[in-house]
Amino acid sequence: MNIIQIPAFTDNYFWLMFEDNKKSAVVVDPGDHAPVIKSLKDNNLELTDILITHHHNDHIGGVPELKKVFPKVNIFGPLDSRIPADNIVKDEDIIKLDSLYEEFRVLDVRGHTNSHIAYYFDKKLFCGDTLFSCGCGRLFEGTHNDMHRALTKIKNLPKETMIYCAHEYTLDNIGFAKILDPENSELLNREREVKSILKKGEYTVPSLLANELKINPFLRFDNKNIINSVQKHFNIKISNEAEIFKYTREWKDNEYD
Ligand SMILES: [Zn+2]
């Protein structure tokens, strides 16, 4: 299967998938129609399916126009009146599409929004705004416990899983991670690597879960350096991982960006 990364707006990515011997394609989170249509044309493809992770406009804004150009397109998404899906999917559903050989598994990853889902297949995770490289999405609707549960679910996927997230936030995220985890050599290596990737005009995602587990403070709520930093910063004793996640998120929201 081919996966094309479509950059859009200032820092979004949409993901287009197709098989070599088929003329049809699937797109994840098309926040805008124009770059998707261009990519389809460039590759001589028809759009058959849209997979939506959550309702924010930079993830669904392109849907009405795409539906005009491809009236038969199937739209998959969670149950949410803000999402124009005609195929409602929920946690652990399996989606089989005519355009692709692989089946997708749906994961409920609520937290960034109350109905956020992710799509997983063959060690690839399309997670919208739940997990970013070295960061995670803000909690616009869900609770800290929701997001901790979602991130734990992602943490338990195979380590070789590639994280196809929806934004290029990596360098900024590393800036915050370094405050909590200044001695982490893997994090400093990743910073050097990310700077060189961005200098070349390339993308820092998708990223490998095994690497995220070493550098991403929002997946490292069980790591003693992160726990120590959070306890010291807030001058409190914290006994559970969900609370470590909660304070890490609050630290970034209130004091970093
Ligand atoms: Zn969002």
Side-chain angles (χ1 to χ4, degrees):
M1 184 200 292
N2 304 287
I3 303 180
I4 294 180
Q5 185 162 6
I6 304 176
F9 309 123
T10 50
D11 51 35
N12 278 72
Y13 294 125
F14 313 150
W15 304 100
L16 188 75
M17 289 170 265
F18 65 99
E19 303 285 359
D20 278 331
N21 55 353
K22 297 195 185 198
K23 289 278 157 229
S24 52
V26 176
V27 70
V28 182
D29 281 355
D32 187 12
H33 63 283
V36 177
I37 288 172
K38 179 173 185 318
S39 188
L40 290 165
K41 272 193 185 144
D42 290 348
N43 293 282
N44 197 21
L45 298 164
E46 296 269 316
L47 187 66
T48 53
D49 304 276
I50 296 173
L51 305 181
I52 293 170
T53 64
H54 69 293
H55 76 274
H56 286 155
N57 200 48
D58 60 327
H59 297 253
I60 66 169
V63 171
E65 281 300 316
L66 289 171
K67 211 172 169 171
K68 275 186 209 160
V69 181
F70 303 99
K72 286 188 195 153
V73 72
N74 297 304
I75 306 166
F76 294 81
L79 181 63
D80 188 320
S81 60
R82 302 167 293 190
I83 295 177
D86 36 45
N87 298 274
I88 303 298
V89 290
K90 59 179 192 317
D91 196 37
E92 295 301 337
D93 278 356
I94 300 292
I95 304 176
K96 177 80 194 96
L97 304 173
D98 290 340
S99 297
L100 302 175
Y101 296 119
E102 299 276 354
E103 291 178 342
F104 289 92
R105 189 176 135 208
V106 176
L107 301 177
D108 180 332
V109 289
R110 73 186 64 192
H112 176 67
T113 68
N114 274 337
S115 64
H116 201 308
I117 56 172
Y119 299 90
Y120 177 82
F121 77 98
D122 187 29
K123 301 194 175 104
K124 297 173 184 67
L125 180 74
F126 297 86
C127 60
D129 291 351
T130 298
L131 183 68
F132 300 123
S133 181
C134 217
C136 77
R138 283 170 183 268
L139 303 179
F140 285 113
E141 297 172 5
T143 65
H144 291 97
N145 280 335
D146 289 336
M147 194 62 148
H148 175 255
R149 202 176 301 123
L151 294 173
T152 301
K153 205 179 270 191
I154 294 175
K155 221 176 140 148
N156 290 329
L157 293 172
K159 306 269 181 287
E160 309 78 41
T161 300
M162 293 300 286
I163 308 295
Y164 289 79
C165 63
H167 289 277
E168 180 63 64
Y169 290 159
T170 314
L171 188 60
D172 187 60
N173 287 338
I174 289 173
F176 175 70
K178 277 169 64 187
I179 299 172
L180 282 83
D181 210 4
E183 312 281 306
N184 183 341
S185 58
E186 304 274 358
L187 179 62
L188 302 174
N189 289 342
R190 175 71 169 150
E191 183 181 38
R192 277 190 287 277
E193 179 193 60
V194 162
K195 281 184 174 166
S196 117
I197 292 170
L198 294 175
K199 208 169 166 186
K200 285 185 270 181
E202 294 169 2
Y203 314 133
T204 68
V205 296
S207 69
L208 181 67
L209 180 58
N211 290 340
E212 292 302 318
L213 294 172
K214 293 177 190 161
I215 62 167
N216 191 327
F218 295 100
L219 291 176
R220 287 159 61 76
F221 33 75
D222 53 356
N223 174 273
K224 77 173 183 357
N225 294 340
I226 300 294
I227 296 171
N228 286 341
S229 287
V230 169
Q231 294 195 137
K232 206 170 152 194
H233 183 74
F234 290 95
N235 194 23
I236 42 170
K237 187 103 190 97
I238 303 168
S239 54
N240 77 68
E241 294 177 3
E243 286 280 295
I244 292 291
F245 168 74
K246 173 178 176 237
Y247 279 100
T248 307
R249 189 64 254 177
E250 284 183 5
W251 187 349
K252 185 161 195 276
D253 288 341
N254 299 334
E255 296 173 53
Y256 186 72
D257 55 13

Tab-separated table of all heavy atoms in Angstrom, residues 155-174:
chain	number	residue	atom	x	y	z
A	155	LYS	N	0.097	3.418	23.778
A	155	LYS	CA	1.353	2.914	24.355
A	155	LYS	C	1.461	1.393	24.261
A	155	LYS	O	2.549	0.845	24.130
A	155	LYS	CB	1.357	3.311	25.836
A	155	LYS	CG	2.663	3.796	26.341
A	155	LYS	CD	2.545	4.261	27.771
A	155	LYS	CE	3.789	3.807	28.505
A	155	LYS	NZ	4.200	4.706	29.563
A	156	ASN	N	0.318	0.717	24.339
A	156	ASN	CA	0.314	-0.745	24.333
A	156	ASN	C	0.247	-1.362	22.936
A	156	ASN	O	0.215	-2.582	22.803
A	156	ASN	CB	-0.846	-1.259	25.188
A	156	ASN	CG	-0.604	-0.994	26.666
A	156	ASN	OD1	0.543	-0.976	27.116
A	156	ASN	ND2	-1.666	-0.751	27.423
A	157	LEU	N	0.233	-0.535	21.907
A	157	LEU	CA	0.299	-1.072	20.536
A	157	LEU	C	1.725	-1.589	20.298
A	157	LEU	O	2.646	-1.245	21.047
A	157	LEU	CB	-0.034	0.032	19.522
A	157	LEU	CG	-1.487	0.546	19.545
A	157	LEU	CD1	-1.624	1.775	18.633
A	157	LEU	CD2	-2.462	-0.544	19.114
A	158	PRO	N	1.923	-2.398	19.236
A	158	PRO	CA	3.286	-2.880	18.973
A	158	PRO	C	4.275	-1.709	18.846
A	158	PRO	O	3.939	-0.679	18.275
A	158	PRO	CB	3.138	-3.622	17.633
A	158	PRO	CG	1.699	-3.978	17.550
A	158	PRO	CD	0.946	-2.904	18.275
A	159	LYS	N	5.472	-1.902	19.380
A	159	LYS	CA	6.480	-0.821	19.400
A	159	LYS	C	6.864	-0.350	18.000
A	159	LYS	O	7.360	0.753	17.812
A	159	LYS	CB	7.766	-1.309	20.096
A	159	LYS	CG	7.548	-1.871	21.482
A	159	LYS	CD	7.683	-0.820	22.558
A	159	LYS	CE	7.491	-1.376	23.951
A	159	LYS	NZ	6.073	-1.729	24.285
A	160	GLU	N	6.666	-1.231	17.002
A	160	GLU	CA	7.043	-0.870	15.625
A	160	GLU	C	5.968	-0.017	14.956
A	160	GLU	O	6.081	0.318	13.767
A	160	GLU	CB	7.261	-2.125	14.756
A	160	GLU	CG	8.191	-3.187	15.330
A	160	GLU	CD	7.519	-4.041	16.397
A	160	GLU	OE1	6.345	-4.418	16.234
A	160	GLU	OE2	8.180	-4.332	17.428
A	161	THR	N	4.895	0.306	15.669
A	161	THR	CA	3.801	1.088	15.070
A	161	THR	C	4.290	2.475	14.656
A	161	THR	O	4.976	3.155	15.419
A	161	THR	CB	2.640	1.242	16.093
A	161	THR	OG1	2.170	-0.064	16.432
A	161	THR	CG2	1.491	2.069	15.512
A	162	MET	N	3.919	2.876	13.445
A	162	MET	CA	4.220	4.232	12.989
A	162	MET	C	3.028	5.122	13.326
A	162	MET	O	1.877	4.756	13.095
A	162	MET	CB	4.470	4.265	11.477
A	162	MET	CG	5.739	3.542	11.038
A	162	MET	SD	7.256	4.228	11.759
A	162	MET	CE	7.449	5.739	10.829
A	163	ILE	N	3.322	6.296	13.873
A	163	ILE	CA	2.284	7.220	14.312
A	163	ILE	C	2.051	8.264	13.225
A	163	ILE	O	2.886	9.143	12.998
A	163	ILE	CB	2.709	7.925	15.628
A	163	ILE	CG1	3.141	6.903	16.699
A	163	ILE	CG2	1.594	8.846	16.129
A	163	ILE	CD1	2.036	5.989	17.189
A	164	TYR	N	0.928	8.141	12.537
A	164	TYR	CA	0.554	9.107	11.488
A	164	TYR	C	-0.362	10.157	12.126
A	164	TYR	O	-1.577	10.041	12.099
A	164	TYR	CB	-0.162	8.382	10.338
A	164	TYR	CG	0.761	7.501	9.526
A	164	TYR	CD1	1.143	6.241	9.987
A	164	TYR	CD2	1.261	7.929	8.295
A	164	TYR	CE1	2.006	5.442	9.251
A	164	TYR	CE2	2.120	7.132	7.552
A	164	TYR	CZ	2.479	5.898	8.032
A	164	TYR	OH	3.339	5.109	7.300
A	165	CYS	N	0.243	11.151	12.720
A	165	CYS	CA	-0.551	12.184	13.376
A	165	CYS	C	-0.862	13.309	12.388
A	165	CYS	O	-0.424	13.282	11.238
A	165	CYS	CB	0.174	12.704	14.611
A	165	CYS	SG	1.731	13.507	14.254
A	166	ALA	N	-1.601	14.304	12.835
A	166	ALA	CA	-2.159	15.275	11.886
A	166	ALA	C	-1.465	16.641	11.885
A	166	ALA	O	-1.892	17.537	11.169
A	166	ALA	CB	-3.654	15.454	12.165
A	167	HIS	N	-0.395	16.792	12.677
A	167	HIS	CA	0.267	18.106	12.709
A	167	HIS	C	1.784	18.001	12.803
A	167	HIS	O	2.313	17.073	13.427
A	167	HIS	CB	-0.224	18.940	13.896
A	167	HIS	CG	-1.626	19.439	13.752
A	167	HIS	ND1	-1.941	20.578	13.054
A	167	HIS	CD2	-2.802	18.928	14.205
A	167	HIS	CE1	-3.259	20.763	13.098
A	167	HIS	NE2	-3.806	19.777	13.788
A	168	GLU	N	2.437	19.010	12.260
A	168	GLU	CA	3.897	19.151	12.387
A	168	GLU	C	4.179	20.067	13.580
A	168	GLU	O	4.366	21.277	13.425
A	168	GLU	CB	4.455	19.755	11.079
A	168	GLU	CG	5.960	19.964	11.063
A	168	GLU	CD	6.757	18.682	11.188
A	168	GLU	OE1	6.660	17.841	10.288
A	168	GLU	OE2	7.461	18.514	12.204
A	169	TYR	N	4.144	19.489	14.782
A	169	TYR	CA	4.391	20.278	16.004
A	169	TYR	C	5.685	19.830	16.694
A	169	TYR	O	5.966	20.254	17.823
A	169	TYR	CB	3.256	20.051	17.025
A	169	TYR	CG	1.907	20.646	16.674
A	169	TYR	CD1	0.747	20.145	17.278
A	169	TYR	CD2	1.779	21.722	15.792
A	169	TYR	CE1	-0.506	20.690	16.997
A	169	TYR	CE2	0.522	22.256	15.510
A	169	TYR	CZ	-0.607	21.736	16.121
A	169	TYR	OH	-1.850	22.271	15.853
A	170	THR	N	6.435	18.953	16.049
A	170	THR	CA	7.486	18.214	16.759
A	170	THR	C	8.518	19.100	17.445
A	170	THR	O	8.822	18.911	18.628
A	170	THR	CB	8.193	17.247	15.785
A	170	THR	OG1	7.186	16.563	15.032
A	170	THR	CG2	9.048	16.245	16.515
A	171	LEU	N	9.064	20.086	16.726
A	171	LEU	CA	10.152	20.877	17.301
A	171	LEU	C	9.677	21.663	18.527
A	171	LEU	O	10.354	21.703	19.554
A	171	LEU	CB	10.749	21.818	16.241
A	171	LEU	CG	12.012	22.550	16.692
A	171	LEU	CD1	13.129	21.570	17.070
A	171	LEU	CD2	12.513	23.498	15.598
A	172	ASP	N	8.504	22.255	18.423
A	172	ASP	CA	7.956	22.987	19.553
A	172	ASP	C	7.714	22.043	20.741
A	172	ASP	O	8.009	22.382	21.897
A	172	ASP	CB	6.644	23.676	19.141
A	172	ASP	CG	6.129	24.592	20.239
A	172	ASP	OD1	6.861	25.532	20.605
A	172	ASP	OD2	5.030	24.333	20.755
A	173	ASN	N	7.206	20.866	20.444
A	173	ASN	CA	6.971	19.882	21.506
A	173	ASN	C	8.269	19.486	22.201
A	173	ASN	O	8.304	19.284	23.420
A	173	ASN	CB	6.314	18.620	20.929
A	173	ASN	CG	4.852	18.848	20.569
A	173	ASN	OD1	4.215	19.760	21.088
A	173	ASN	ND2	4.323	18.032	19.679
A	174	ILE	N	9.338	19.368	21.422
A	174	ILE	CA	10.634	18.995	22.010
A	174	ILE	C	11.092	20.091	22.990
A	174	ILE	O	11.651	19.799	24.039
A	174	ILE	CB	11.680	18.749	20.901
A	174	ILE	CG1	11.341	17.447	20.165
A	174	ILE	CG2	13.095	18.690	21.472
A	174	ILE	CD1	12.188	17.164	18.935
